[in-house]
């Protein structure tokens, strides 16, 4: 694994030989990940390949059974959780609450790591929240109840909450689920234009090819391929990992996958 640093010499978020078990089964097996600062890394693989587990290890929500996750060279497990939350924002596949909240309430939660308990929001806090609402096209929905939103709208609110957090690392687990094509493209345009390091789990190979700088393909908890999209997304790999026949072309340097059917 090649070490990379940003302009200030920070290594950012890295996973080194991380493994994780669940119910006696090896979910991740010796996975390395070292995103280049400011890049977008796509995690690919079929259901159960370990993508969500890897994201949770990177977020510090889960601890590896072996190996280590580091932030600027320091083990994540030894860092203060509030300090980690100021750096790393996470958008899960689904989020729900029984509490009556508005869109604005949810987005304001992104500022919690930056404030002391019981202190009022600062002008900077409110500005970060308003900018997050504007970037995600939710300004007009700020006073709307969370419980009246569709699944896709809730996902956009969670993106806005993450943006309000002003992270340097952004982790997203299938963020395009429940979104129509237009909003999938708008969301990925937004995310990849941010001045942050992004790790994003995706099912759609063509979206991954279009928006990611690097792809990491998982199968049964192991990395089976990594590199630029045109290096990784081959007909042979798609057949091996997904059990699907496909043709891959590279218009304008980015691979495009056309599915032909299953191998069985």
């Amino acid at each position: 694994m090649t070490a990379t640093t940003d302009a200030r010499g920070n290594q950012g978020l890295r996973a080194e030989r991380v493994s994780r078990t669940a119910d006696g089964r090896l979910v991740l097996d010796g996975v390395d990940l070292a995103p280049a600062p400011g890049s977008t890394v796509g995690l690919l693989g079929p259901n159960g390949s370990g993508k969500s587990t890897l994201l949770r290890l990177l977020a510090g929500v889960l601890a590896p059974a072996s190996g280590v996750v580091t932030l600027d060279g320091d083990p994540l497990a030894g860092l203060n959780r509030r300090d980690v939350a100021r750096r790393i924002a996470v958008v899960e596949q689904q989020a729900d609450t029984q509490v009556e909240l508005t869109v604005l309430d949810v987005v304001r939660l992104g500022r919690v790591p930056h404030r002391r308990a019981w202190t009022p929001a600062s002008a900077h806090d409110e500005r970060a929240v308003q900018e997050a609402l504007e970037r995600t096209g939710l300004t007009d929905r700020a006073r709307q109840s969370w419980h009246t939103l569709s699944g896709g709208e809730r996902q956009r609110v969670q993106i806005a909450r993450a943006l309000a957090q002003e992270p340097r690392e952004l982790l997203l687990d299938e963020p395009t689920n429940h979104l129509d094509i237009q909003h999938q493209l708008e969301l990925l345009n937004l995310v990849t234009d941010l001045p942050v390091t992004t790790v994003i789990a995706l099912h759609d190979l063509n979206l991954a090819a279009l928006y990611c700088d690097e792809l990491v393909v998982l199968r049964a908890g192991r990395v089976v391929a990594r590199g630029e999209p045109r290096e990784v997304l081959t007909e042979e790999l798609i057949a091996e990992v997904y059990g699907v026949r496909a043709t891959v072309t590279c218009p304008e340097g980015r691979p495009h996958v056309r599915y032909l059917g299953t191998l069985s």
Side-chain angles (χ1 to χ4, degrees), residues 89-144:
V90 182
V91 177
E92 298 275 8
Q93 286 190 37
Q94 295 179 340
D96 202 2
T97 179
Q98 300 303 312
V99 180
E100 187 60 41
L101 296 173
T102 65
V103 169
L104 181 59
D105 292 330
V106 175
V107 178
R108 279 175 171 164
L109 293 175
R111 299 306 302 166
V112 170
H114 298 276
R115 293 164 51 194
R116 295 181 180 273
W118 312 114
T119 59
S122 67
H124 179 79
D125 291 327
E126 290 302 321
R127 185 164 58 252
V129 168
Q130 292 305 317
E131 288 178 356
L133 289 168
E134 290 172 10
R135 281 182 166 180
T136 51
L138 292 168
T139 302
D140 293 341
R141 300 287 189 93
R143 302 296 176 181
Q144 186 170 339

Side-chain angles (χ1 to χ4, degrees), residues 176 180-190 207 210-211:
T176 56
D180 58 35
I181 295 172
Q182 177 186 350
H183 287 110
Q184 287 181 19
L185 296 177
E186 288 177 351
L187 184 147
L188 290 173
N189 278 324
L190 167 66
L207 288 178
L210 186 60
Y211 286 99

Side-chain angles (χ1 to χ4, degrees), residues 21-99:
T21 58
D23 298 324
R25 181 174 66 91
L26 194 60
V27 180
L28 285 177
D29 185 7
V31 173
D32 290 330
L33 192 71
S39 68
T40 299
V41 176
L43 299 181
L44 302 181
N47 289 337
S49 60
K51 300 186 301 294
S52 295
T53 300
L54 178 55
L55 286 174
R56 290 176 182 175
L57 291 181
L58 292 171
V61 175
L62 297 177
S66 62
V68 63
V69 177
T70 61
L71 187 61
D72 292 339
D74 296 319
L76 200 63
L79 298 177
N80 180 278
R81 287 304 304 167
R82 180 178 289 271
D83 292 337
V84 172
R86 289 172 179 159
R87 279 284 304 272
I88 303 172
V90 182
V91 177
E92 298 275 8
Q93 286 190 37
Q94 295 179 340
D96 202 2
T97 179
Q98 300 303 312
V99 180

Side-chain angles (χ1 to χ4, degrees), residues 177-208:
N177 280 0
H178 311 298
L179 298 181
D180 58 35
I181 295 172
Q182 177 186 350
H183 287 110
Q184 287 181 19
L185 296 177
E186 288 177 351
L187 184 147
L188 290 173
N189 278 324
L190 167 66
V191 167
T192 54
D193 283 344
L194 294 171
V196 300
T197 303
T198 304
V199 182
I200 178 171
L202 289 167
H203 272 305
D204 191 312
L205 302 187
N206 286 313
L207 288 178

